[in-house]
Amino acid sequence: MLRNRRGQMNTGEQSPVSTHHESTQEDDRLSEGDSQSLNGTSAQHDQGIYSPNNEAQSTAFFLLVVLLSFSTRLYKIMEPPHVCWDETHFGKMGSYYINRTFFFDVHPPLGKMLIGLAGYMTGYDGTYPFLKPGDKYEHHNYWGMRGFCASLGSCLPPFAYLTVLELSQSPTAALITAAVLAFDTGCITISQYILLDPILMFFIMGAVLSMVKFNRQRYRPFSAPWWFWLVLTGVNLSGALGVKFVGLFVILLVGMNTAWDLWSLLGDLHLSLIDFGKHVLSRVFGLILLPLFLYVTIFAVHFVVLNKSGPGDGFFSSAFQSRLIGNNLHNASMPEYLAYGSIITVKNLRIAGGYLHSHWHLYPEGVGAKQQQVTAYLHKDYNNMWLVHRSNDSDAQSGEPDLVRHGDIIQLEHKETTRNLHSHLHEAPLTKKHFQVTGYGINGTGDPNDLWQVEVCGGRKGDLVKVLRSKVRFLHRATGCVLYSSGKTLPKWGWEQVEITCSPYLKETPNSQWNIEDHINAKLPNISLSVLKPHFLEILLESHIVMIRGNSGLKPKDNEMNSKPWHWPINYQGLRFSGVNETEYRVYLLGNPVIWWLNLVSLGLYVVIVAVASLALRRGVQLDKRRIGRKHCRVLMEGGGLLLLGWLLHYVPFYTMGRILYYHHYFPAMLFSSMLTVNLHPKMNFEIGCSLFSPSVYICFSLCLSKPCSFYMFHPLSYGMRGPLAHDPDSTMAGLKWMDSWEF
């Protein structure tokens, strides 16, 4: 039988991945002792790290990190005793879960569910309104929700410690990494409030740690620890995605690591194809099927808990609303198919598209034709009612009414004002390339510009129009345009309702799609709407479509404090969490500048060191007298490369996003840059042998020693400050406003 490179009988175990990174020519250059050092890297590390002395040191360091992390995050957790920044959103959403009230958010539900559960378990009754930042909590119990977020945020430095310990095999480097995160004012601040960010970062760091631990089990495939870390990686991936969609970035990181791992296994000639297939299937189960199942389960719980009508109803389809207790469609009954002579309401399918609406007010002078306004209204109202007529105005007066079919020509008469839905070649009020839509005529009598052709999306001629479920378009016969909700808010003359236009661009979009919601026709039999309720997969798909559209629709508003991705690594601008003037209790989200700028320098320094070390290895340069430079370079490139990839995946994609961005979006990337900065023990970096850069490395780690001092200087940003602002010489923060863009 063949022996593998660890000197053991081959039983299907894979050889070390590192052996695939060298060419045969390079192996020939190694002495026998050096070759054994390389091929036994993992085993030697295991023996070194887990020797009694090193294990005791690692345990002591880990306990110190845990104590330091929890003490910095839980200190003054009740201050300030009022709503801060986005607590107004996520605290309120936690209350919705306690009250089982349906709401809409652009993020998946897991983070808010956990916040609500933490509040419920610690005695919060879900009655606080969370109206706006600065509102006092008074007697309401909020410490549980803040404490829960702070506890998860407190896990980040210990997770970083364990991750760097696995990658570098240096307890000192791991301790420095954990201290960087423990003393960062930004990480402290973002962990102390009712926010999604500490929950998201908890799962991201959990996934990275589990992935690294799983990689360390490559020599014991299919053992209990191997399965444990594989499954735990999948659980954390589902958790990260279940909190925010940016969890996709850590999924990409794990996916790329897994692809490289499988590629290395495929090159191991000691591994049979059957065993390789087992490796593939196990990863499909642990990293795809299990996370997908857990992610879907999160939404199943979300829909079961939030079963009451609430402020999120209007963002979803009429069919979706019919499943919510308290909604007017819940357990309602109405005719199933649209017919002539019916009274209906028509709802647009875009997010906040509103109901087709009209009222007695006319368009003002100079805004198209001075005819009756037609708008989209976001609330249920009597002025949303329309009568359906034939194009020749000869509705059946007796017997069963005719049903409306795909391709029919109809008129829609506004029930309250008796004017017809009308369009013409005048330009729309706000969307100038579209045509104006008005109410015209009297008692249903108008002109040919009142005719609309009904089209069932995806239907064929003769198909019936089903209430709630059918998506329909209304094509204007005279101009060929399609009825459209632009989403733009009209001025005060339009009562700040949503603009309705007739779009000449016929591409099917939610803006041009409608469904019939209310349907009244005494000549037709009613059916219970319960038979039209969507099944779970339908509401799961719809909720994701609505969330994605909602995310893309988050655009910056006038005078709103947002930032750009290039601002973030240089710590250009922070965020006000609380207070704006010297009389208020101020909390300001800003990273410890010494740490953040050191991280930025280290990113560039790492790339240069790896490039020089790679060239040296390629040319066969002896890197140090003890001939251990190759091992250290490999750890530097593999461990550091993984962290650099994590930073790139969590930072670069924001340059492509059109939605509004804030400073706090950088914090997951900051975790990776902090681990990369001190990924290796400084002595290990020195042993790379690149004398040109070793002094720089020592300078960087010397600067790390200054982080407790910089934390002491900037800690009021996290724990609160009063009195004059930093630009005032009398301020306690005077002299610390190192950049004009900082506002504390």
Side-chain angles (χ1 to χ4, degrees):
M1 297 180 67
L2 294 173
R3 291 180 179 271
N4 63 21
R5 288 187 173 95
R6 294 176 65 190
Q8 298 172 337
M9 300 299 291
N10 183 36
T11 59
E13 291 182 354
Q14 68 183 81
S15 59
V17 174
S18 61
T19 61
H20 299 293
H21 296 170
E22 291 187 37
S23 65
T24 304
Q25 182 179 6
E26 289 174 338
D27 285 336
D28 291 340
R29 295 194 186 106
L30 297 174
S31 65
E32 181 179 356
D34 200 12
S35 178
Q36 291 173 353
S37 174
L38 280 173
N39 294 330
T41 295
S42 181
Q44 289 181 9
H45 282 168
D46 284 341
Q47 293 169 4
I49 280 296
Y50 297 107
S51 63
N53 290 338
N54 279 354
E55 186 175 5
Q57 182 190 43
S58 298
T59 302
F61 282 177
F62 180 74
L63 293 176
L64 176 62
V65 167
V66 171
L67 177 63
L68 187 64
S69 182
F70 275 83
S71 61
T72 54
R73 269 73 179 166
L74 296 177
Y75 176 64
K76 298 183 71 172
I77 193 66
M78 301 289 284
E79 298 293 329
H82 60 248
V83 178
C84 293
W85 196 49
D86 270 358
E87 284 188 329
T88 185
H89 298 302
F90 303 119
K92 183 185 300 181
M93 293 171 187
S95 298
Y96 285 145
Y97 278 104
I98 294 173
N99 297 317
R100 307 191 68 176
T101 302
F102 188 77
F103 67 94
F104 165 71
D105 185 42
V106 297
H107 305 301
L110 179 60
K112 285 93 64 177
M113 290 171 62
L114 293 176
I115 289 172
L117 179 62
Y120 178 77
M121 296 295 291
T122 54
Y124 172 59
D125 59 6
T127 59
Y128 187 71
F130 288 96
L131 294 178
K132 64 182 184 300
D135 286 351
K136 298 289 186 181
Y137 281 115
E138 297 176 343
H139 63 279
H140 292 275
N141 187 344
Y142 63 96
W143 69 267
M145 292 182 284
R146 278 193 182 174
F148 169 74
C149 293
S151 296
L152 294 191
S154 299
C155 294
L156 302 181
F159 282 2
Y161 175 88
L162 296 174
T163 301
V164 173
L165 183 63
E166 290 293 337
L167 292 175
S168 69
Q169 303 300 317
S170 169
T172 305
L175 178 62
I176 295 173
T177 300
V180 164
L181 295 179
F183 286 121
D184 181 61
T185 51
C187 284
I188 292 172
T189 304
I190 208 166
S191 298
Q192 287 192 306
Y193 298 93
I194 307 171
L195 303 172
L196 297 184
D197 300 271
I199 308 174
L200 171 68
M201 292 190 288
F202 171 85
F203 284 113
I204 289 175
M205 288 297 291
V208 173
L209 174 60
S210 302
M211 175 186 68
V212 171
K213 288 280 192 180
F214 174 72
N215 289 343
R216 294 280 296 169
Q217 300 298 322
R218 60 168 59 96
Y219 305 105
R220 297 191 292 169
F222 308 112
S223 63
W226 188 91
W227 277 111
F228 174 79
W229 291 114
L230 175 65
V231 169
L232 191 58
T233 302
V235 170
N236 281 300
L237 291 180
S238 63
L241 186 60
V243 176
K244 281 189 176 183
F245 284 128
V246 294
L248 285 170
F249 301 152
V250 76
I251 292 176
L252 283 175
L253 176 64
V254 173
M256 295 171 75
N257 176 79
T258 303
W260 177 251
D261 186 27
L262 290 175
W263 179 252
S264 300
L265 285 173
L266 187 61
D268 185 357
L269 300 182
H270 299 147
L271 193 68
S272 69
L273 289 179
I274 293 177
D275 287 334
F276 176 74
K278 292 179 181 178
H279 277 278
V280 173
L281 291 177
S282 64
R283 286 159 174 80
V284 168
F285 167 76
L287 302 179
I288 297 177
L289 297 181
L290 177 63
L292 184 61
F293 170 77
L294 294 176
Y295 181 75
V296 172
T297 302
I298 291 168
F299 277 89
V301 175
H302 169 73
F303 294 135
V304 168
V305 173
L306 302 185
N307 63 350
K308 297 180 182 178
S309 179
D313 293 18
F315 291 93
F316 291 82
S317 68
S318 304
F320 187 101
Q321 294 180 43
S322 67
R323 50 178 297 278
L324 298 174
I325 299 172
N327 189 282
N328 69 309
L329 298 175
H330 182 69
N331 289 337
S333 60
M334 63 180 63
E336 183 176 7
Y337 295 104
L338 179 63
Y340 294 103
S342 295
I343 300 173
I344 63 173
T345 61
V346 186
K347 186 177 186 298
N348 188 254
L349 296 188
R350 71 175 295 276
I351 294 178
Y355 296 90
L356 187 64
H357 177 96
S358 189
H359 41 237
W360 289 103
H361 302 277
L362 306 181
Y363 286 102
E365 197 71 40
V367 181
K370 193 175 181 180
Q371 297 175 5
Q372 185 169 294
Q373 296 176 18
V374 172
T375 65
Y377 190 47
L378 301 181
H379 306 282
K380 299 179 186 295
D381 187 86
Y382 186 76
N383 279 326
N384 300 340
M385 298 287 187
W386 299 82
L387 282 163
V388 182
H389 295 300
R390 295 178 185 274
S391 59
N392 57 12
D393 198 24
S394 58
D395 294 344
Q397 299 300 316
S398 60
E400 292 293 327
D402 288 341
L403 301 178
V404 178
R405 300 177 183 272
H406 176 94
D408 283 4
I409 310 300
I410 67 170
Q411 289 180 342
L412 288 176
E413 176 191 336
H414 189 243
K415 190 171 189 307
E416 174 67 12
T417 64
T418 72
R419 289 193 163 92
N420 296 332
L421 187 69
H422 176 98
S423 187
H424 43 224
L425 295 179
H426 294 272
E427 66 181 17
L430 303 179
T431 311
K432 300 301 182 182
K433 293 184 178 180
H434 291 191
F435 301 134
Q436 183 187 34
V437 176
T438 68
Y440 180 76
I442 189 71
N443 291 326
T445 302
D447 64 23
N449 282 333
D450 302 341
L451 302 182
W452 302 82
Q453 181 173 326
V454 177
E455 293 184 346
V456 178
C457 297
R460 296 175 296 178
K461 188 172 179 61
D463 285 353
L464 299 174
V465 179
K466 181 179 288 190
V467 298
L468 300 188
R469 305 307 298 269
S470 291
K471 299 178 182 179
V472 299
R473 298 199 310 164
F474 297 99
L475 195 67
H476 191 241
R477 293 290 294 171
T479 62
C481 58
V482 64
L483 191 66
Y484 190 92
S485 173
S486 71
K488 298 177 181 178
T489 302
L490 294 168
K492 289 186 177 180
W493 56 256
W495 304 94
E496 297 181 340
Q497 296 174 7
V498 178
E499 179 192 40
I500 290 292
T501 69
C502 199
S503 170
Y505 309 103
L506 301 184
K507 181 180 178 181
E508 286 191 5
T509 68
N511 301 66
S512 62
Q513 295 175 334
W514 307 77
N515 71 268
I516 310 304
E517 182 167 296
D518 296 290
H519 183 208
I520 302 171
N521 193 317
K523 296 181 179 180
L524 290 175
N526 291 341
I527 64 164
S528 171
L529 293 186
S530 60
V531 302
L532 301 179
K533 286 181 181 178
H535 54 70
F536 173 71
L537 291 181
E538 284 183 289
I539 62 177
L540 180 66
L541 177 61
E542 179 177 347
S543 64
H544 279 78
I545 292 173
V546 172
M547 284 189 293
I548 291 170
R549 290 177 186 165
N551 258 306
S552 62
L554 292 175
K555 305 298 182 184
K557 301 176 182 178
D558 293 339
N559 301 321
E560 188 170 10
M561 184 62 67
N562 62 323
S563 61
K564 300 185 183 301
W566 68 266
H567 291 169
W568 305 338
I570 63 175
N571 221 19
Y572 177 77
Q573 189 178 45
L575 267 174
R576 289 195 187 103
F577 266 39
S578 175
V580 295
N581 57 53
E582 62 183 32
T583 63
E584 296 177 325
Y585 188 97
R586 302 191 304 279
V587 176
Y588 191 70
L589 177 66
L590 185 73
N592 186 324
V594 173
I595 292 173
W596 284 56
W597 294 339
L598 173 62
N599 287 350
L600 187 60
V601 171
S602 298
L603 285 168
L605 189 62
Y606 170 80
V607 174
V608 175
I609 290 177
V610 167
V612 173
S614 300
L615 289 173
L617 285 176
R618 179 59 61 181
R619 296 299 300 168
V621 176
Q622 182 173 322
L623 296 180
D624 59 60
K625 296 180 180 179
R626 288 172 293 170
R627 302 183 59 81
I628 57 177
R630 284 180 180 272
K631 178 178 67 177
H632 292 157
C633 281
R634 179 165 295 112
V635 175
L636 172 70
M637 288 185 278
E638 291 182 0
L642 183 69
L643 297 175
L644 179 63
L645 179 61
W647 179 80
L648 290 171
L649 289 174
H650 285 81
Y651 175 55
V652 174
F654 285 102
Y655 281 93
T656 66
M657 295 184 184
R659 59 153 290 171
I660 186 171
L661 298 173
Y662 298 103
Y663 173 63
H664 71 97
H665 288 133
Y666 182 68
F667 276 83
M670 182 265 177
L671 298 176
F672 288 94
S673 64
S674 296
M675 289 188 289
L676 180 62
T677 297
V678 283
N679 176 37
L680 304 175
H681 193 287
K683 182 173 179 289
M684 186 176 290
N685 277 323
F686 182 76
E687 287 172 347
I688 291 175
C690 303
S691 60
L692 176 62
F693 299 106
S694 295
S696 300
V697 174
Y698 271 114
I699 291 172
C700 287
F701 280 96
S702 297
L703 288 174
C704 281
L705 300 178
S706 68
K707 57 185 173 284
C709 299
S710 60
F711 168 72
Y712 177 77
M713 290 190 297
F714 287 96
H715 78 275
L717 298 179
S718 298
Y719 299 129
M721 49 194 164
R722 295 183 185 272
L725 302 179
H727 62 266
D728 191 321
D730 296 330
S731 172
T732 57
M733 303 296 288
L736 294 178
K737 189 177 180 181
W738 297 348
M739 298 183 70
D740 291 337
S741 52
W742 296 352
E743 301 172 330
F744 55 80

Short mmCIF file of all heavy atoms in Angstrom, two decimals, residues 345-380:
data_model
loop_
_atom_site.label_atom_id
_atom_site.label_comp_id
_atom_site.label_asym_id
_atom_site.label_seq_id
_atom_site.Cartn_x
_atom_site.Cartn_y
_atom_site.Cartn_z
N THR A 345 -61.50 47.77 -6.93
CA THR A 345 -60.32 48.60 -6.68
C THR A 345 -59.15 47.93 -7.40
O THR A 345 -59.08 46.70 -7.50
CB THR A 345 -60.00 48.73 -5.18
OG1 THR A 345 -59.75 47.44 -4.63
CG2 THR A 345 -61.15 49.40 -4.44
N VAL A 346 -58.23 48.77 -7.90
CA VAL A 346 -57.12 48.29 -8.71
C VAL A 346 -55.82 48.70 -8.02
O VAL A 346 -55.60 49.89 -7.76
CB VAL A 346 -57.18 48.87 -10.14
CG1 VAL A 346 -56.11 48.26 -11.02
CG2 VAL A 346 -58.56 48.66 -10.75
N LYS A 347 -54.95 47.73 -7.72
CA LYS A 347 -53.72 47.99 -6.97
C LYS A 347 -52.50 47.77 -7.87
O LYS A 347 -52.39 46.77 -8.56
CB LYS A 347 -53.64 47.07 -5.75
CG LYS A 347 -52.47 47.35 -4.82
CD LYS A 347 -52.52 46.44 -3.61
CE LYS A 347 -51.44 46.81 -2.60
NZ LYS A 347 -50.10 46.65 -3.14
N ASN A 348 -51.59 48.74 -7.82
CA ASN A 348 -50.34 48.61 -8.58
C ASN A 348 -49.39 47.66 -7.88
O ASN A 348 -49.35 47.58 -6.65
CB ASN A 348 -49.69 49.99 -8.74
CG ASN A 348 -48.50 49.95 -9.68
OD1 ASN A 348 -47.36 50.04 -9.24
ND2 ASN A 348 -48.76 49.82 -10.97
N LEU A 349 -48.58 46.94 -8.65
CA LEU A 349 -47.74 45.89 -8.09
C LEU A 349 -46.34 46.35 -7.69
O LEU A 349 -45.59 45.57 -7.11
CB LEU A 349 -47.62 44.73 -9.09
CG LEU A 349 -48.93 44.00 -9.40
CD1 LEU A 349 -48.66 42.77 -10.24
CD2 LEU A 349 -49.67 43.61 -8.12
N ARG A 350 -45.96 47.60 -7.99
CA ARG A 350 -44.66 48.05 -7.52
C ARG A 350 -44.74 48.32 -6.02
O ARG A 350 -45.83 48.48 -5.45
CB ARG A 350 -44.21 49.31 -8.27
CG ARG A 350 -44.99 50.56 -7.90
CD ARG A 350 -44.44 51.80 -8.56
NE ARG A 350 -43.10 52.09 -8.09
CZ ARG A 350 -42.85 52.77 -6.98
NH1 ARG A 350 -43.84 53.20 -6.22
NH2 ARG A 350 -41.61 53.01 -6.62
N ILE A 351 -43.56 48.37 -5.37
CA ILE A 351 -43.54 48.67 -3.94
C ILE A 351 -44.12 50.06 -3.71
O ILE A 351 -43.70 51.03 -4.35
CB ILE A 351 -42.11 48.59 -3.40
CG1 ILE A 351 -41.60 47.16 -3.48
CG2 ILE A 351 -42.03 49.09 -1.98
CD1 ILE A 351 -40.18 47.00 -3.02
N ALA A 352 -45.08 50.17 -2.83
CA ALA A 352 -45.75 51.44 -2.54
C ALA A 352 -46.31 52.06 -3.82
O ALA A 352 -46.30 53.28 -3.99
CB ALA A 352 -44.79 52.41 -1.84
N GLY A 353 -46.81 51.20 -4.73
CA GLY A 353 -47.40 51.71 -5.97
C GLY A 353 -48.76 52.33 -5.75
O GLY A 353 -49.17 53.23 -6.47
N GLY A 354 -49.49 51.85 -4.76
CA GLY A 354 -50.77 52.44 -4.40
C GLY A 354 -51.94 51.93 -5.22
O GLY A 354 -51.80 51.11 -6.13
N TYR A 355 -53.11 52.43 -4.86
CA TYR A 355 -54.36 52.09 -5.53
C TYR A 355 -54.70 53.17 -6.56
O TYR A 355 -54.46 54.36 -6.34
CB TYR A 355 -55.51 51.99 -4.52
CG TYR A 355 -55.36 50.89 -3.51
CD1 TYR A 355 -54.71 51.12 -2.30
CD2 TYR A 355 -55.86 49.62 -3.76
CE1 TYR A 355 -54.56 50.10 -1.37
CE2 TYR A 355 -55.72 48.60 -2.82
CZ TYR A 355 -55.07 48.85 -1.63
OH TYR A 355 -54.92 47.84 -0.71
N LEU A 356 -55.26 52.74 -7.68
CA LEU A 356 -55.73 53.70 -8.68
C LEU A 356 -56.84 54.55 -8.06
O LEU A 356 -57.82 54.01 -7.54
CB LEU A 356 -56.24 52.96 -9.92
CG LEU A 356 -56.61 53.82 -11.11
CD1 LEU A 356 -55.38 54.54 -11.68
CD2 LEU A 356 -57.27 52.97 -12.21
N HIS A 357 -56.69 55.88 -8.12
CA HIS A 357 -57.47 56.80 -7.28
C HIS A 357 -57.80 58.05 -8.08
O HIS A 357 -57.04 58.47 -8.95
CB HIS A 357 -56.62 57.16 -6.06
CG HIS A 357 -57.23 58.14 -5.12
ND1 HIS A 357 -57.91 57.76 -3.99
CD2 HIS A 357 -57.23 59.49 -5.10
CE1 HIS A 357 -58.30 58.82 -3.32
NE2 HIS A 357 -57.91 59.90 -3.98
N SER A 358 -58.94 58.63 -7.77
CA SER A 358 -59.27 59.95 -8.33
C SER A 358 -60.10 60.71 -7.31
O SER A 358 -60.58 60.15 -6.33
CB SER A 358 -60.02 59.81 -9.66
OG SER A 358 -60.16 61.07 -10.29
N HIS A 359 -60.21 62.01 -7.53
CA HIS A 359 -61.00 62.88 -6.63
C HIS A 359 -61.45 64.10 -7.42
O HIS A 359 -61.10 64.27 -8.60
CB HIS A 359 -60.19 63.27 -5.40
CG HIS A 359 -58.75 63.60 -5.70
ND1 HIS A 359 -57.70 62.95 -5.10
CD2 HIS A 359 -58.19 64.48 -6.56
CE1 HIS A 359 -56.55 63.44 -5.55
NE2 HIS A 359 -56.84 64.38 -6.44
N TRP A 360 -62.23 64.95 -6.81
CA TRP A 360 -62.86 66.06 -7.53
C TRP A 360 -61.86 67.12 -7.99
O TRP A 360 -62.17 67.92 -8.87
CB TRP A 360 -63.92 66.73 -6.65
CG TRP A 360 -65.15 65.89 -6.45
CD1 TRP A 360 -65.48 65.18 -5.35
CD2 TRP A 360 -66.18 65.68 -7.40
NE1 TRP A 360 -66.67 64.53 -5.53
CE2 TRP A 360 -67.14 64.83 -6.79
CE3 TRP A 360 -66.42 66.12 -8.71
CZ2 TRP A 360 -68.29 64.41 -7.44
CZ3 TRP A 360 -67.58 65.71 -9.36
CH2 TRP A 360 -68.49 64.86 -8.73
N HIS A 361 -60.68 67.16 -7.43
CA HIS A 361 -59.72 68.22 -7.76
C HIS A 361 -59.18 68.06 -9.17
O HIS A 361 -58.97 66.94 -9.66
CB HIS A 361 -58.57 68.21 -6.75
CG HIS A 361 -59.02 68.38 -5.33
ND1 HIS A 361 -59.29 69.60 -4.77
CD2 HIS A 361 -59.28 67.46 -4.36
CE1 HIS A 361 -59.67 69.44 -3.51
NE2 HIS A 361 -59.68 68.15 -3.24
N LEU A 362 -58.92 69.21 -9.81
CA LEU A 362 -58.40 69.23 -11.17
C LEU A 362 -56.90 69.48 -11.18
O LEU A 362 -56.33 69.99 -10.20
CB LEU A 362 -59.09 70.32 -11.99
CG LEU A 362 -60.63 70.32 -12.02
CD1 LEU A 362 -61.14 71.46 -12.90
CD2 LEU A 362 -61.16 68.97 -12.52
N TYR A 363 -56.24 69.09 -12.28
CA TYR A 363 -54.84 69.48 -12.45
C TYR A 363 -54.78 71.01 -12.56
O TYR A 363 -55.64 71.65 -13.18
CB TYR A 363 -54.27 68.85 -13.72
CG TYR A 363 -54.00 67.36 -13.59
CD1 TYR A 363 -54.88 66.42 -14.13
CD2 TYR A 363 -52.87 66.90 -12.93
CE1 TYR A 363 -54.63 65.07 -14.02
CE2 TYR A 363 -52.61 65.54 -12.81
CZ TYR A 363 -53.50 64.63 -13.36
OH TYR A 363 -53.25 63.29 -13.24
N PRO A 364 -53.76 71.62 -11.98
CA PRO A 364 -53.68 73.09 -12.02
C PRO A 364 -53.33 73.60 -13.41
O PRO A 364 -52.92 72.84 -14.31
CB PRO A 364 -52.56 73.40 -11.02
CG PRO A 364 -51.72 72.17 -11.00
CD PRO A 364 -52.65 71.02 -11.21
N GLU A 365 -53.50 74.89 -13.61
CA GLU A 365 -53.18 75.53 -14.88
C GLU A 365 -51.71 75.29 -15.23
O GLU A 365 -50.83 75.43 -14.40
CB GLU A 365 -53.44 77.04 -14.77
CG GLU A 365 -53.56 77.76 -16.11
CD GLU A 365 -54.84 77.41 -16.85
OE1 GLU A 365 -55.90 77.32 -16.19
OE2 GLU A 365 -54.77 77.20 -18.06
N GLY A 366 -51.49 74.89 -16.47
CA GLY A 366 -50.12 74.66 -16.93
C GLY A 366 -49.62 73.26 -16.74
O GLY A 366 -48.50 72.93 -17.14
N VAL A 367 -50.41 72.40 -16.11
CA VAL A 367 -50.03 70.99 -15.93
C VAL A 367 -50.94 70.14 -16.81
O VAL A 367 -51.99 69.66 -16.38
CB VAL A 367 -50.14 70.56 -14.45
CG1 VAL A 367 -49.71 69.11 -14.28
CG2 VAL A 367 -49.30 71.46 -13.56
N GLY A 368 -50.56 70.01 -18.08
CA GLY A 368 -51.36 69.24 -19.02
C GLY A 368 -52.74 69.86 -19.19
O GLY A 368 -52.93 71.08 -19.06
N ALA A 369 -53.72 69.00 -19.48
CA ALA A 369 -55.10 69.46 -19.60
C ALA A 369 -55.68 69.68 -18.21
O ALA A 369 -55.41 68.92 -17.28
CB ALA A 369 -55.93 68.45 -20.37
N LYS A 370 -56.48 70.72 -18.07
CA LYS A 370 -57.07 71.04 -16.77
C LYS A 370 -58.30 70.17 -16.54
O LYS A 370 -59.45 70.61 -16.57
CB LYS A 370 -57.43 72.52 -16.70
CG LYS A 370 -57.74 72.99 -15.28
CD LYS A 370 -57.97 74.48 -15.21
CE LYS A 370 -58.25 74.93 -13.79
NZ LYS A 370 -58.47 76.39 -13.69
N GLN A 371 -58.01 68.87 -16.33
CA GLN A 371 -59.06 67.88 -16.11
C GLN A 371 -58.86 67.25 -14.72
O GLN A 371 -57.95 67.60 -13.99
CB GLN A 371 -59.01 66.82 -17.22
CG GLN A 371 -59.30 67.39 -18.61
CD GLN A 371 -59.15 66.37 -19.72
OE1 GLN A 371 -58.92 65.19 -19.47
NE2 GLN A 371 -59.29 66.82 -20.98
N GLN A 372 -59.73 66.32 -14.37
CA GLN A 372 -59.72 65.75 -13.02
C GLN A 372 -58.47 64.92 -12.79
O GLN A 372 -58.01 64.17 -13.65
CB GLN A 372 -60.98 64.89 -12.83
CG GLN A 372 -61.15 64.34 -11.42
CD GLN A 372 -62.52 63.75 -11.22
OE1 GLN A 372 -63.52 64.47 -11.26
NE2 GLN A 372 -62.58 62.44 -11.04
N GLN A 373 -57.91 65.08 -11.60
CA GLN A 373 -56.69 64.36 -11.25
C GLN A 373 -56.94 62.86 -11.10
O GLN A 373 -57.96 62.44 -10.54
CB GLN A 373 -56.10 64.90 -9.94
CG GLN A 373 -55.64 66.34 -9.99
CD GLN A 373 -55.15 66.83 -8.64
OE1 GLN A 373 -54.85 66.03 -7.75
NE2 GLN A 373 -55.09 68.15 -8.48
N VAL A 374 -56.00 62.07 -11.58
CA VAL A 374 -55.94 60.63 -11.32
C VAL A 374 -54.57 60.35 -10.71
O VAL A 374 -53.54 60.72 -11.27
CB VAL A 374 -56.14 59.80 -12.60
CG1 VAL A 374 -55.88 58.32 -12.32
CG2 VAL A 374 -57.55 59.98 -13.14
N THR A 375 -54.55 59.72 -9.56
CA THR A 375 -53.31 59.47 -8.80
C THR A 375 -53.29 58.03 -8.31
O THR A 375 -54.21 57.26 -8.55
CB THR A 375 -53.21 60.42 -7.60
OG1 THR A 375 -54.28 60.12 -6.68
CG2 THR A 375 -53.33 61.88 -8.01
N ALA A 376 -52.23 57.69 -7.62
CA ALA A 376 -52.17 56.43 -6.86
C ALA A 376 -52.14 56.80 -5.39
O ALA A 376 -51.35 57.64 -4.96
CB ALA A 376 -50.95 55.61 -7.24
N TYR A 377 -53.01 56.19 -4.61
CA TYR A 377 -53.14 56.49 -3.19
C TYR A 377 -52.75 55.25 -2.40
O TYR A 377 -53.16 54.13 -2.73
CB TYR A 377 -54.58 56.91 -2.87
CG TYR A 377 -54.80 57.49 -1.50
CD1 TYR A 377 -53.95 58.46 -0.99
CD2 TYR A 377 -55.88 57.07 -0.72
CE1 TYR A 377 -54.16 58.99 0.27
CE2 TYR A 377 -56.10 57.61 0.53
CZ TYR A 377 -55.23 58.57 1.03
OH TYR A 377 -55.44 59.10 2.28
N LEU A 378 -51.93 55.44 -1.36
CA LEU A 378 -51.35 54.30 -0.66
C LEU A 378 -52.29 53.67 0.37
O LEU A 378 -51.95 52.64 0.95
CB LEU A 378 -50.05 54.74 0.04
CG LEU A 378 -48.95 55.29 -0.88
CD1 LEU A 378 -47.72 55.66 -0.07
CD2 LEU A 378 -48.60 54.28 -1.95
N HIS A 379 -53.44 54.27 0.59
CA HIS A 379 -54.35 53.77 1.63
C HIS A 379 -55.69 53.39 1.00
O HIS A 379 -56.08 53.89 -0.06
CB HIS A 379 -54.55 54.83 2.71
CG HIS A 379 -53.26 55.34 3.29
ND1 HIS A 379 -52.53 54.63 4.22
CD2 HIS A 379 -52.56 56.48 3.04
CE1 HIS A 379 -51.44 55.31 4.54
NE2 HIS A 379 -51.45 56.43 3.84
N LYS A 380 -56.40 52.53 1.71
CA LYS A 380 -57.73 52.14 1.25
C LYS A 380 -58.69 53.32 1.45
O LYS A 380 -58.69 53.96 2.49
CB LYS A 380 -58.20 50.90 2.02
CG LYS A 380 -57.29 49.69 1.83
CD LYS A 380 -57.78 48.50 2.64
CE LYS A 380 -56.79 47.34 2.57
NZ LYS A 380 -56.67 46.78 1.23
#
